[in-house]
Amino acid sequence: MIVPLAAMQKEARKKGYAVPHFLGANFEMTLAAIEAAKECGSPLALGFAPEVFAMIPLEYAVPMLREAADRATVPVSIQLEHGKGYEILARAISLGIQSVMFDGSHLPVEENIQKTKEIVKMAHAFGCDVEAELGYVGGSALCDIESEESRETDPEIVLEFIQQSEVDSLAISFGNVHGRYRGEAKLNYALVEKIAGMTEVPLTMHGGSGLTKEQYKKSIEAGISNIHFYTNITLGLWRSLEELAKKRNGQPVYHEICGATIAYFKKEILNIMEICKSAGKA
């Protein structure tokens, strides 16, 4: 069943867990996540990120996600992630998506507020909730892309941003990065606690891959209600497929590769749902 993401995030904040959020870029990833959520009784968020999966048209991805989510026996939210402009967000909403993320983190604060406000007005008119980003989460899931350094969210402008934009959830930067961490991750839990103490708007974390269980635990306890995962659950896939290839003398049939991919993602996602403390919360 499809559930609005903002409502799911608010429930997670109230009960002290994080909504596990995965890319649903193709059928294998989507089915694995839904099967894992069903098995452990977890709510689930699935996103589509155009900059990561530019080869897959939005017009194919969103209907697939909607159909899969609608058939699920657990609550599933679907979101367009990191939309950089009005046009792509409007396209996603016209295709039936119920949550969009406007990423204006690269803009000056006043421009970010103004554009987020415009997106919120448009999205809310169609019953769609909006996530925005304040501060800048650096890094990238794309191996060949260089990214700016992260810039922590300034708590002094959080309330102004939320009040003026009327955004439904807020992605913050507190030492988290997209893709692989270079060296030890240093997360500013005190900053999360401070921002969480200022507002009831749910806080989300992008760049959740590769942290320790203790770091996830502390992030959730500090006030994070939604964690995005992609890079870390994909890195071990190749080893799994190499094992399959060895069993098939280097020539596995394609449907075997698909099956092995689903099984691998499901196993990884079940582990993450335990870490997010979302198992049994559906």
Side-chain angles (χ1 to χ4, degrees):
M1 70 192 85
I2 298 178
V3 175
L5 182 55
M8 190 180 283
Q9 292 166 334
K10 287 176 183 176
E11 184 74 4
R13 173 159 181 164
K14 184 167 65 177
K15 295 186 177 177
Y17 64 92
V19 175
H21 197 302
F22 306 96
L23 282 187
N26 58 26
F27 183 74
E28 288 84 359
M29 297 172 78
T30 298
L31 181 60
I34 289 176
E35 288 297 311
K38 185 168 66 175
E39 183 170 313
C40 73
S42 172
L44 167 69
L46 291 170
F48 182 77
E51 82 281 11
V52 178
F53 287 95
M55 75 294 293
I56 300 177
L58 200 64
E59 287 72 15
Y60 287 87
V62 174
M64 183 271 292
L65 283 170
R66 271 194 59 85
E67 180 70 14
D70 196 41
R71 288 174 176 269
T73 56
V74 293
V76 181
S77 297
I78 57 174
Q79 181 189 51
L80 180 79
E81 298 184 52
H82 295 288
K84 301 289 188 182
Y86 196 95
E87 187 271 338
I88 192 166
L89 298 178
R91 276 172 59 204
I93 292 170
S94 73
L95 290 166
I97 211 154
Q98 292 183 316
S99 177
V100 294
M101 178 195 180
F102 171 61
D103 185 353
S105 60
H106 57 292
L107 302 171
V109 173
E110 288 304 320
E111 188 177 354
N112 190 2
I113 290 174
Q114 185 56 40
K115 290 196 172 182
T116 301
K117 187 175 181 178
E118 293 170 4
I119 296 296
V120 168
K121 184 177 180 180
M122 180 265 293
H124 282 183
F126 290 94
C128 180
D129 60 62
V130 180
E131 175 183 335
E133 184 172 322
L134 186 60
Y136 181 78
V137 179
S140 175
L142 303 173
C143 297
D144 57 347
I145 296 293
E146 286 296 323
S147 174
E148 299 174 34
E149 291 296 315
S150 294
R151 184 177 66 254
E152 282 194 345
T153 301
D154 182 354
E156 299 303 317
I157 59 176
V158 166
L159 284 183
E160 178 190 3
F161 186 93
I162 290 171
Q163 288 166 359
Q164 289 198 34
S165 67
E166 298 184 352
V167 74
D168 299 289
S169 60
L170 186 66
I172 62 171
S173 176
F174 60 103
N176 45 316
V177 300
H178 293 106
R180 302 187 194 192
Y181 284 87
R182 297 176 181 178
E184 183 182 353
K186 297 179 180 179
L187 302 181
N188 188 346
Y189 307 112
L191 177 59
V192 181
E193 288 178 355
K194 182 171 183 176
I195 296 172
M198 297 166 63
T199 178
E200 293 183 357
V201 168
L203 305 179
T204 72
M205 177 184 185
H206 291 252
S209 290
L211 302 174
T212 66
K213 288 185 179 181
E214 186 64 17
Q215 286 171 317
Y216 291 122
K217 179 175 178 285
K218 287 183 177 180
S219 298
I220 295 167
E221 289 174 348
I224 292 295
S225 301
N226 189 170
I227 305 178
H228 290 241
F229 299 89
Y230 170 57
T231 305
N232 213 51
I233 68 169
T234 65
L235 294 178
L237 175 61
W238 295 112
R239 289 192 295 273
S240 178
L241 295 181
E242 284 171 355
E243 289 301 314
L244 172 64
K246 287 178 184 176
K247 292 177 183 177
R248 298 291 183 267
N249 296 317
Q251 293 183 317
V253 182
Y254 181 66
H255 72 266
E256 293 180 306
I257 295 174
C258 293
T261 300
I262 292 168
Y264 174 82
F265 281 137
K266 180 180 176 182
K267 175 175 65 72
E268 293 295 310
I269 289 168
L270 280 168
N271 289 335
I272 287 171
M273 287 172 170
E274 290 296 330
I275 289 170
C276 287
K277 301 192 291 184
S278 64
K281 301 296 196 305

